[in-house]
Amino acid sequence: MTSLTHLQRLEAESIQIMREVVAETENPVMLYSVGKDSAVMLHLARKAFAPSPPPFPLLHVDTRWKFQAMYDFRDKMAEDIGMDLIVHINPEGVEKDINPFTHGSAIHTDVMKTEGLKQALDKYGFDAAFGGARRDEEKSRAKERVFSFRTAQHRWDPKNQRPELWKLYNTRKHPKESIRVFPLSNWTELDIWQYIHLQNIPIVPLYYAAERPVVERDGALIMVDDDRMPLEPGEVPMMRKVRFRTLGCYPLTGAVESEADTLPAIIQEMLLTKTSERQGRVIDHDSSASMEKKKQEGYF
Amino acid sequence: MSTKHLSPEVLSERRKKAVRLRLDGHTVAVASQQTGLSAPTVSAAWKAFREGGWAAVPVKPRGRSKGQGNTLSAAAQALLWDGLYAPAPRRMPGWSSAALADLANERLGLRLTQRAIEHWWETEELKHYPWALAALAKKRTLAGRWFDKAVAPAFLRCQNAEQRWQGGVRRVAHAHRALYQIYLHGVRGKLYMRCFEHPPTACDYQTMLSRLTQPAVVVFHGAMFSANQELAEWLASQTSLTVVAVPADLGLEHR
Amino acid sequence: MSHSSGLIAEDIEGYLKSHEHKGLLRFITCGSVDDGKSTLIGRLLFESKLLFEDQLAAIEADSKKYGTQGGDMDFALLVDGLAAEREQGITIDVAYRFFSTEKRKFIVADTPGHEQYTRNMVTGASTADAAILMVDARHGILTQTRRHSFLMSLMGMRHIIVAINKMDLVDYSKARYDQIVDEYRGFAKQLGLENITFIPMSALKGDNVIEHSAKMPWYHGTTLMGYLETVEVDDERLQRSPFRMPVQWVNRPNLDFRGFTGMIASGVVRPGDQIRVQPSGKTSTVSRIYTFDGDLDEAVAGQSITLLLDDEIDISRGDIISGIDQPAHTADQFETTLVWMHDAPLLPGRPYLMKLGTQTVTATVTDIKYQVNVNTLEHTAGKQLDLNGIGVCTISLSRAVAFDAYKDNQDTGGFILIDRMTNNTVGAGMLHFALRRSQNIHMQHVDIDKQARALAKGQKPAVLWFTGLSGAGKSTIANLVEKKLFGSGQHTYLLDGDNVRHGLNRDLGFTDADRVENVRRVAETAKLMVDAGLIVMSAFISPFRSERQLARDLLEEGEFIEIYVDAPLDVVEARDPKGLYKKARRGELKNFTGIDSAYEAPQAPDVHLKTAEMNAEEAADAVIDALRERGLIS
């Protein structure tokens, strides 16, 4: 008798979910955030549809403030895998030059990420979007379905979601409704790292510790990724050995001091340290139960 | 085969074994090989046995027991910390152990040796060991190539050892304090330092650098001077002061 | 048991290697807030030490604010979620928690225990390999315990743990424990539950959860964690079962590669194996088992693969590929057990969609043989199934499907029912066996009436009566409305001058009397169409109030929607799309509404479209919105 490991089972489940979406929706897309979860999700998509490249494009909703290393990595990945990469930037955001400094993280994220995503989905008429969210990321995600239905205005009504039994997913929807699909729902952070390690999945170098120019903002270490970062008078960034546990917009993502410059070291650090993944991201501090609020508003 | 770090108990056992082997008629070489002790040590143990019997063979534990070291008083430590966080004496780029000793003497009438202060530095994680820069010359490593390209030409302009400095800035993970440290090594690696509660500002760096007798070259790690316009401009204007930034992740080795 | 910091710190590579071969166990916890279920799960999460410190800090703070343990660490708080519920102190829905030990990764389905959440528990149980039934040692076996046990047996749960909790409150009494075990065993026999393990514990104090309890030396069985880490999952049985793979998607990157993708539901497959496709029955041989990581020599239940065959046979999504010797059966009528999951009750005779594996077919429940009372297990008769109702029913499908009995294979025997109008998942069911054609399956006696037809069409019939001056835009707007309704699957018909005046009403002119008769005929025709279940639009000037009222009176309350297409005379005259106003002005047309014949504007129309202020598209949208508001469309 052959035993399957937990990662093999998780992998098979995610592949099954992706194939269901492609079989039953008209115009799917995979949201690509360039982070480690996206990397795993992309790898799974390749496995699901091989030998063809996955039959949907990648969509990056770009806020214009990601780390440069992320942009470099993103472009290379798309090229290497041979998938169409759609980069969408909210044009109103550009016009008004929305940014985290002038407008604060709440508005910046709202306009560039939340509205940007809605715009992109409307513009290209995608009726299903893969996202890399996991149930263990945050309390409010524990009850999230694998298939999450959104209204034509991209709102999530907690009372309007469907029960998911066995491996059956009801994908039927009305015109203009769309589905968000989370193939990584049952993966934990540790599973993700283990899988990256075992499968040698390339990830953005920022996850690995290296000396980087950082400044301190409200107790968080923010990297000076380019010359748009406003510095205080007299401020001189320090080169410190840091890494990122989560990636987002660089002015909103805190680094941690670390020596972990290999994958096993990262995993080791992750297991021994005990601060939740999202702690690095400034957004979640804005209001309590903020993730749930954001989901109701259409932000993933 | 280093026996430097063996405990007295283990060392003593080995010495006794060496003596037993010699008694059996083995040579010093064989006894050395069997016990892992050096030949002189074997001979010394054998000599001790011949002169004093078995009781003379084991070694006495060396050094002070834990907790018996000469620690500085709370008042002295408080003063030293205050000093470190304050500007260094005029004309000095930072606090040396000598300068701190003078301070203790002035303010508290204490006679602290430089050595005592340097030990205290060690316990407080403030000590820094200089990098072996000269050894990088012509090496085929990344660090070696950087040295040849960026450091050597500057060193050519400053042939005198007193004109060559190395240093950096770092955050020290101290249990009770917010601690950022600028450290500098001058001639023969002499250590100067200054502590801050926040990352040092352009002004702090400028003050430190301007106190170096020019011409001078400073190999500096851990700060991105180029990001501060004023500092960058000031540096550019200093014709006899060259700052060479250590690239990220170069991995310099200490002496 | 948990991730040992020592190994992690010293030899991360060794640690990682040892965790590469963990298995996965999914289990469900059945119980209520009061019998310590949340405390138990919270403790399992806590003990596995994979909690993050800020979560711990938050829980400590919350234990003081919301906790039920007098400010002490309240493990239960770890497992409550959505903002709305925190204050209520009760969890709803199915929450999935994760933790792992050195032996296994665990997925916990946490569902409420109240009767009103039967559907949640059924949902959570559907993916679980084992179930923990919580019993409060003080109260013993309750109705709730019986209910949960019944549901677990219904769902085919193969491993049951009866966690007799709060032993600390009964002085760790062996007598009490034995009493409960005996009572349960007797009950479980009725249900046919096997593989039951009893564990006396205290989730609060930690007895027998992770560590063996010193307080119960008379208990020699396993701890809960010990059980969870070692219980055999269903792998062996599934792998020895016949090969089944429902086809999800056909992969044709080029002419040379035709792969059938899917997750193996049971059995084992190897290149060279002969297979049979159901329901067509065609056979072939497996040429390759393709995966991204290379071809496999063997694939087992639980793996997602791509099969390539020697022959070019017709296979599409929905088919099941089976081993040639033990193929799946096919049928179109079944006896099933249904669990109803929606507020709107199950209506026999009404068509739903059934999704079984990768097949989706139209299904009608032809008969509810009996309902089961979840608490007493009594059988009762019933004409419909309400929310959380469980009934044994016969189902008839629009075409034959391949299947296995649910007890043999949950993935080829378990199905969901979907409402065709709302798209909600309204029911879940288990196929037991197929019914032979000779057995009398008649549709339950249902009158074929307006309601039946409307149900069959999945819509509420109505008349949309557009009235207004000539050229106001009635036909244009009505056409747009029809297109929109058609686009969302409604069945409609448009009556206007074009299709009526030259046929049915060919004999009528434009005198007042003729106008009245015209409207009467159109109204009667519309009424017949409404009876047939259609949404009818009529676009006639219909100038007289009394005639429009006549039309309204022919229909039932809520079926007549009067839509006033309001354009002032000067506007329509300026438009004059057919040149009729000019002719009328010249005296060439007599009795022309607006010129020499009166138009009585509606005083209280159901929808008032001011076409001077909006374009046709906007007007049509306004009509659709009004229909939605009235609940005629969703």
Side-chain angles (χ1 to χ4, degrees):
Chain A
M1 189 200 65
T2 313
S3 283
L4 298 177
T5 66
H6 77 292
L7 286 176
Q8 285 175 318
R9 287 192 192 274
L10 289 175
E11 183 188 71
E13 178 185 74
S14 300
I15 289 173
Q16 188 247 348
I17 290 166
M18 291 184 177
R19 288 169 173 169
E20 278 297 285
V21 171
V22 164
E24 299 217 308
T25 62
E26 309 290 315
N27 193 8
V29 67
M30 177 166 282
L31 296 185
Y32 187 61
S33 72
V34 202
K36 66 182 193 312
D37 300 301
S38 275
V40 168
M41 195 169 60
L42 182 53
H43 191 75
L44 291 168
R46 296 180 74 190
K47 289 203 180 197
F49 303 101
S52 325
F56 40 77
L58 292 173
L59 171 63
H60 182 214
V61 179
D62 185 10
T63 61
R64 300 186 306 154
W65 285 87
K66 302 295 177 188
F67 294 87
Q68 187 56 46
M70 288 169 73
Y71 291 121
D72 297 336
F73 186 86
R74 172 197 75 188
D75 295 338
K76 181 154 195 322
M77 277 314 284
E79 203 190 295
D80 287 348
I81 296 181
M83 283 172 79
D84 283 338
L85 170 67
I86 300 173
V87 177
H88 179 82
I89 301 177
N90 184 338
E92 282 125 50
V94 175
E95 224 182 274
K96 298 186 184 146
D97 192 28
I98 303 287
N99 66 76
F101 306 109
T102 320
H103 302 93
S105 75
I107 294 181
H108 168 78
T109 305
D110 204 51
V111 173
M112 299 310 287
K113 202 156 179 197
T114 311
E115 286 308 307
L117 176 58
K118 291 183 197 174
Q119 285 172 351
L121 294 176
D122 288 338
K123 177 175 174 187
Y124 296 93
F126 294 124
D127 64 341
F130 290 107
R134 308 183 322 254
R135 282 176 175 144
D136 77 325
E137 277 178 342
E138 225 213 22
K139 283 269 189 75
S140 73
R141 282 204 150 120
K143 299 172 202 230
E144 180 87 44
R145 308 300 204 275
V146 176
F147 285 67
S148 175
F149 287 78
R150 306 297 161 100
T151 64
Q153 293 76 36
H154 305 285
R155 292 186 79 91
W156 178 84
D157 182 359
K159 300 184 191 75
N160 202 19
Q161 305 298 317
R162 302 159 190 186
E164 292 174 341
L165 292 104
W166 301 294
K167 302 178 178 81
L168 297 171
Y169 300 106
N170 173 2
T171 56
R172 294 181 65 84
K173 54 184 166 47
H174 295 113
K176 295 286 176 75
E177 282 179 353
S178 62
I179 318 176
R180 307 296 164 88
V181 184
F182 306 112
L184 301 177
S185 289
N186 288 327
W187 293 63
T188 62
E189 189 180 6
L190 178 57
D191 295 332
I192 295 282
W193 282 117
Q194 266 192 289
Y195 192 71
I196 290 174
H197 177 55
L198 284 171
Q199 300 274 309
N200 281 315
I201 299 176
I203 53 174
V204 180
L206 294 168
Y207 284 110
Y208 297 97
E211 286 181 8
R212 299 181 169 108
V214 291
V215 290
E216 294 187 4
R217 291 281 181 277
D218 291 321
L221 285 176
I222 306 292
M223 180 169 154
V224 182
D225 196 47
D226 58 35
D227 55 13
R228 292 179 298 169
M229 175 89 199
L231 298 175
E232 304 291 322
E235 187 168 33
V236 179
M238 278 176 68
M239 300 295 290
R240 286 158 72 169
K241 191 153 186 182
V242 296
R243 68 178 203 87
F244 293 86
R245 293 196 50 187
T246 174
L247 297 180
C249 298
Y250 82 77
L252 301 173
T253 309
V256 291
E257 282 191 305
S258 165
E259 292 292 322
D261 52 8
T262 63
L263 204 36
I266 290 175
I267 298 177
Q268 180 181 49
E269 193 175 86
M270 193 217 92
L271 288 170
L272 294 175
T273 323
K274 304 216 169 147
T275 316
S276 188
E277 196 174 291
R278 289 206 118 80
Q279 195 75 340
R281 288 214 203 166
V282 175
I283 306 169
D284 277 6
H285 297 150
D286 283 358
S287 79
S288 60
S290 57
M291 207 77 236
E292 189 202 321
K293 250 184 78 193
K294 292 222 165 331
K295 195 166 48 174
Q296 294 203 352
E297 289 162 15
Y299 167 63
F300 240 86
Chain B
M1 267 239 258
S2 169
T3 53
K4 203 154 114 172
H5 303 291
L6 292 176
S7 69
E9 293 84 20
V10 175
L11 191 49
S12 297
E13 277 312 305
R14 293 202 193 178
R15 284 167 65 105
K16 286 199 264 185
K17 187 173 173 194
V19 169
R20 284 197 291 274
L21 286 168
R22 293 291 278 125
L23 283 170
D24 283 344
H26 295 289
T27 60
V28 169
V30 166
S32 162
Q33 195 232 11
Q34 294 266 320
T35 58
L37 298 172
S38 67
T41 307
V42 172
S43 304
W46 180 237
K47 180 166 181 233
F49 174 73
R50 287 198 319 272
E51 289 170 6
W54 283 108
V57 174
V59 292
K60 288 206 263 289
R62 298 278 201 260
R64 304 179 210 216
S65 339
K66 218 170 149 76
Q68 279 187 5
N70 238 345
T71 45
L72 302 176
S73 69
Q77 291 194 44
L79 174 69
L80 291 176
W81 279 118
D82 284 344
L84 282 172
Y85 276 93
R90 238 179 301 222
R91 313 252 191 99
M92 293 184 69
W95 289 92
S96 61
S97 52
L100 284 173
D102 287 342
L103 181 70
N105 195 13
E106 251 177 60
R107 300 281 181 84
L108 294 178
L110 284 175
R111 281 202 198 286
L112 297 174
T113 58
Q114 288 182 42
R115 195 137 175 253
I117 292 181
E118 282 164 28
H119 278 158
W120 176 76
W121 274 354
E122 287 237 29
T123 57
E124 297 294 331
E125 314 254 17
L126 291 171
K127 190 90 160 84
H128 184 271
Y129 292 90
W131 300 303
L133 288 179
L136 290 173
K138 303 275 193 277
K139 287 254 158 61
R140 298 252 187 92
T141 58
L142 200 59
R145 286 197 290 275
W146 162 74
F147 180 86
D148 291 339
K149 185 153 174 242
V151 183
F155 272 12
L156 269 181
R157 294 198 289 279
C158 297
Q159 300 269 359
N160 215 315
E162 278 144 16
Q163 297 165 328
R164 297 178 180 183
W165 296 82
Q166 51 158 274
V169 64
R170 60 181 183 167
R171 185 183 82 92
V172 176
H174 197 277
H176 312 298
R177 293 168 179 275
L179 179 43
Y180 298 86
Q181 180 197 46
I182 294 181
Y183 55 89
L184 273 178
H185 296 281
V187 150
R188 280 181 289 281
K190 180 166 167 142
L191 179 56
Y192 300 81
M193 66 171 74
R194 164 93 200 266
C195 295
F196 302 85
E197 281 185 356
H198 303 286
T201 62
C203 197
D204 296 322
Y205 292 112
Q206 195 175 322
T207 306
M208 176 219 21
L209 289 169
S210 58
R211 290 182 182 187
L212 300 174
T213 317
Q214 297 188 8
V217 57
V218 186
V219 176
F220 203 78
H221 172 270
M224 196 190 217
F225 292 153
S226 56
N228 185 287
Q229 205 190 3
E230 278 164 17
L231 187 55
E233 281 171 1
W234 177 79
L235 277 174
S237 72
Q238 303 294 297
T239 44
S240 329
L241 172 65
T242 312
V243 173
V244 180
V246 179
D249 298 309
L250 198 65
L252 290 176
E253 293 198 354
H254 299 274
R255 282 191 214 153
Chain C
M1 172 231 77
S2 62
H3 297 258
S4 54
S5 299
L7 185 57
I8 296 172
E10 278 154 48
D11 180 12
I12 182 65
E13 299 271 4
Y15 170 86
L16 286 174
K17 252 242 124 34
S18 73
H19 278 261
E20 265 166 47
H21 300 285
K22 286 195 297 212
L24 172 66
L25 183 79
R26 300 180 207 241
F27 65 92
I28 180 174
T29 50
C30 306
S32 71
V33 163
D34 304 317
D35 40 41
K37 178 188 65 156
S38 295
T39 306
L40 178 62
I41 300 177
R43 180 177 277 280
L44 288 172
L45 296 182
F46 181 75
E47 296 284 354
S48 69
K49 292 186 173 51
L50 278 185
L51 274 184
F52 295 117
E53 217 154 64
D54 59 336
Q55 285 177 308
L56 282 172
I59 285 305
E60 268 161 6
D62 283 343
S63 290
K64 293 184 170 60
K65 199 166 160 201
Y66 297 111
T68 54
Q69 301 301 325
D72 285 341
M73 185 67 127
D74 188 346
F75 293 116
L77 287 175
L78 281 171
V79 299
D80 283 355
L82 283 172
E85 311 162 63
R86 240 180 155 132
E87 281 75 29
Q88 289 169 35
I90 303 177
T91 56
I92 63 170
D93 222 325
V94 183
Y96 294 95
R97 323 275 176 200
F98 307 89
F99 69 98
S100 67
T101 67
E102 252 127 38
K103 299 269 177 54
R104 278 183 173 162
K105 173 185 160 90
F106 298 96
I107 302 179
V108 189
D110 182 15
T111 74
H114 304 79
E115 196 179 332
Q116 65 202 117
Y117 299 112
T118 291
R119 66 179 165 176
N120 310 65
M121 191 168 284
V122 164
T123 303
S126 72
T127 54
D129 305 306
I132 301 179
L133 297 178
M134 304 289 303
V135 173
D136 185 328
R138 296 172 296 176
H139 307 312
I141 306 295
L142 301 170
T143 307
Q144 165 192 282
T145 324
R146 294 176 204 279
R147 179 172 70 247
H148 296 165
S149 305
F150 168 63
L151 289 175
M152 293 307 113
S153 82
L154 185 72
M155 297 306 290
M157 193 64 64
R158 292 175 196 275
H159 300 281
I160 309 268
I161 305 124
V162 178
I164 300 171
N165 195 27
K166 304 200 183 182
M167 287 299 290
D168 54 309
L169 297 177
V170 297
D171 279 330
Y172 299 101
S173 151
K174 177 179 194 304
R176 182 71 185 128
Y177 167 79
D178 286 337
Q179 207 177 20
I180 296 175
V181 169
D182 281 336
E183 195 183 339
Y184 191 85
R185 281 227 168 93
F187 166 69
K189 242 200 170 93
Q190 283 180 292
L191 290 174
L193 281 174
E194 296 172 348
N195 276 327
I196 307 173
T197 305
F198 297 88
I199 305 181
M201 65 171 70
S202 168
L204 191 63
K205 305 285 179 199
D207 296 284
N208 282 337
V209 177
I210 319 282
E211 308 283 330
H212 278 281
S213 169
K215 302 252 171 49
M216 292 182 275
W218 42 267
Y219 175 71
H220 304 295
T222 175
T223 60
L224 179 63
M225 186 60 89
Y227 179 89
L228 292 174
E229 282 186 320
T230 55
V231 63
E232 287 296 323
V233 213
D234 214 18
D235 289 345
E236 214 181 312
R237 184 194 70 91
L238 272 182
Q239 284 183 30
R240 279 190 273 114
S241 301
F243 173 65
R244 299 275 185 270
M245 191 188 90
V247 176
Q248 278 189 278
W249 180 73
V250 182
N251 192 350
R252 289 216 84 151
N254 55 58
L255 288 173
D256 299 321
F257 187 103
R258 190 155 170 257
F260 305 101
T261 66
M263 185 189 271
I264 301 178
S266 62
V268 175
V269 68
R270 301 180 183 85
D273 283 356
Q274 289 189 285
I275 53 94
R276 191 185 299 270
V277 180
Q278 302 294 122
S280 70
K282 304 235 172 75
T283 62
S284 182
T285 313
V286 176
S287 62
R288 288 168 68 189
I289 304 174
Y290 172 85
T291 71
F292 179 82
D293 303 304
D295 284 9
L296 300 178
D297 294 323
E298 179 188 270
V300 302
Q303 288 186 279
S304 283
I305 55 165
T306 305
L307 279 184
L308 285 91
L309 306 174
D310 282 345
D311 309 283
E312 275 267 345
I313 50 176
D314 203 7
I315 307 180
S316 52
R317 174 182 169 78
D319 291 335
I320 296 187
I321 300 179
S322 314
I324 198 166
D325 293 323
Q326 291 172 290
H329 294 291
T330 59
D332 63 1
Q333 298 182 88
F334 301 92
E335 179 168 292
T336 70
T337 300
L338 285 183
V339 179
W340 203 245
M341 302 211 158
H342 206 257
D343 299 317
L346 164 65
L347 297 172
R350 184 182 183 179
Y352 295 92
L353 286 175
M354 172 199 274
K355 187 167 183 184
L356 174 74
T358 49
Q359 310 165 88
T360 304
V361 295
T362 307
T364 311
V365 172
T366 49
D367 186 27
I368 300 175
K369 292 178 75 172
Y370 58 86
Q371 289 189 62
V372 184
N373 180 312
V374 252
N375 293 313
T376 63
L377 305 190
E378 274 177 336
H379 292 185
T380 56
K383 280 207 154 85
Q384 62 182 42
L385 272 186
D386 294 317
L387 174 60
N388 290 320
I390 298 179
V392 172
C393 310
T394 53
I395 284 193
S396 174
L397 309 181
S398 56
R399 58 180 165 84
V401 297
F403 73 100
D404 288 301
Y406 179 78
K407 69 167 168 44
D408 296 325
N409 193 320
Q410 299 190 350
D411 291 320
T412 49
F415 63 90
I416 52 174
L417 288 181
I418 301 170
D419 183 297
R420 296 185 315 166
M421 251 221 303
T422 64
N423 290 327
N424 283 323
T425 299
V426 288
M430 286 75 78
L431 297 180
H432 298 313
F433 51 82
L435 301 169
R436 290 196 303 276
R437 282 214 165 275
S438 58
Q439 287 172 271
N440 61 337
I441 292 306
H442 299 299
M443 288 275 288
Q444 191 175 38
H445 186 58
V446 164
D447 289 320
I448 309 295
D449 59 4
K450 173 160 68 179
Q451 200 193 33
R453 289 188 210 99
L455 278 179
K457 288 191 186 310
Q459 63 187 23
K460 286 206 183 119
V463 175
L464 310 183
W465 192 277
F466 291 80
T467 174
L469 292 172
S470 169
K474 302 181 294 301
S475 287
T476 313
I477 298 172
N479 259 301
L480 281 174
V481 171
E482 181 167 38
K483 281 207 181 80
K484 287 179 193 292
L485 290 173
F486 188 77
S488 50
Q490 320 290 146
H491 294 204
T492 60
Y493 197 76
L494 171 60
L495 294 164
D496 69 3
D498 288 333
N499 58 15
V500 165
R501 271 284 180 184
H502 302 291
L504 181 62
N505 292 359
R506 191 179 15 190
D507 57 324
L508 299 175
F510 290 92
T511 61
D512 284 0
D514 281 351
R515 285 185 191 283
V516 169
E517 179 60 15
N518 184 37
V519 168
R520 189 194 69 82
R521 290 185 195 175
V522 168
E524 290 283 1
T525 308
K527 181 183 173 184
L528 288 172
M529 291 186 169
V530 160
D531 209 43
L534 291 170
I535 297 176
V536 192
M537 277 154 283
S538 85
F540 293 90
I541 298 173
S542 50
F544 302 121
R545 259 181 229 124
S546 56
E547 272 57 54
R548 295 195 297 264
Q549 187 61 42
L550 187 155
R552 186 189 280 276
D553 290 340
L554 280 177
L555 295 148
E556 285 182 37
E557 188 75 50
E559 280 179 352
F560 185 86
I561 314 288
E562 186 178 36
I563 302 170
Y564 177 26
V565 185
D566 179 1
L569 180 57
D570 49 352
V571 171
V572 296
E573 200 171 344
R575 286 185 202 153
D576 205 1
K578 301 174 193 167
L580 299 173
Y581 282 95
K582 258 195 213 67
K583 281 191 181 167
R585 287 284 181 204
R586 287 198 294 267
E588 288 165 42
L589 278 184
K590 292 270 184 275
N591 287 327
F592 194 74
T593 307
I595 305 296
D596 60 347
S597 181
Y599 181 77
E600 293 169 1
Q603 282 159 335
D606 297 299
V607 183
H608 189 158
L609 301 171
K610 297 194 178 144
T611 61
E613 293 165 24
M614 54 169 71
N615 62 29
E617 187 74 39
E618 286 162 351
D621 282 335
V623 173
I624 299 286
D625 286 341
L627 294 179
R628 203 165 274 135
E629 266 166 54
R630 282 169 171 70
L632 288 165
I633 58 175
S634 54

